[in-house]
Amino acid sequence: QVQLVESGGGLVQPGGSLTLSCAASGDIFSVYDMGWNRQAPGKQSELVAQITRGYTKTYADSVKGRFTISRNNDNNTVYLQMNSLKPEDTAVYYCNAEIIATTSIQRDYWGQGTQVTVSS
């Protein structure tokens, strides 16, 4: 069994910073792409950032220059450093990872979501 566990969400004032973490654990053989999506109330889910196993990064235009994605392949953890936060960044943030389990089954896994609220 494989699971992703997120942490680090919360309430922050505009202009502030937060760091999200997501650790993959369980019967893992290998972890490929990892990333973060978010969904705000009444809006569609959007890709925020993605990072390959080889550390190639992709960002949504709305977060470029403010958010930084990183990962630690030794402990299968992905991070999202969020700076200069804006009220429009308020959403539930979900991590995801493409994982090959020890059963040789490859699929996408998702975390349970963590709330980020940017408000004064």
Side-chain angles (χ1 to χ4, degrees):
Q1 195 171 9
V2 174
Q3 61 177 353
L4 301 183
V5 178
E6 301 154 351
S7 61
L11 173 64
V12 64
Q13 292 187 341
S17 298
L18 278 177
T19 300
L20 306 181
S21 301
C22 174
S25 62
D27 301 325
I28 295 172
F29 176 76
S30 187
V31 180
Y32 292 111
D33 293 357
M34 303 185 82
W36 294 90
N37 284 48
R38 67 185 179 186
Q39 186 162 23
K43 294 187 177 181
Q44 288 188 329
S45 176
E46 65 169 339
L47 174 67
V48 177
Q50 189 172 33
I51 184 168
T52 68
R53 186 170 179 83
Y55 306 105
T56 299
K57 303 173 184 180
T58 305
Y59 296 96
D61 288 342
S62 59
V63 307
K64 282 180 182 176
R66 300 189 298 122
F67 291 10
T68 301
I69 191 169
S70 60
R71 66 186 286 172
N72 184 325
N73 288 337
D74 291 334
N75 60 17
N76 296 322
T77 300
V78 63
Y79 306 93
L80 187 67
Q81 173 68 43
M82 304 183 292
N83 297 326
S84 302
L85 282 160
K86 304 175 181 180
E88 51 263 44
D89 294 317
T90 296
V92 178
Y93 285 70
Y94 298 90
C95 75
N96 65 86
E98 182 180 1
I99 295 174
I100 298 179
T102 54
T103 57
S104 298
I105 295 174
Q106 181 174 345
R107 51 160 283 196
D108 288 337
Y109 290 84
W110 292 82
Q112 78 283 5
T114 186
Q115 177 70 46
V116 172
T117 301
V118 184
S119 175
S120 55

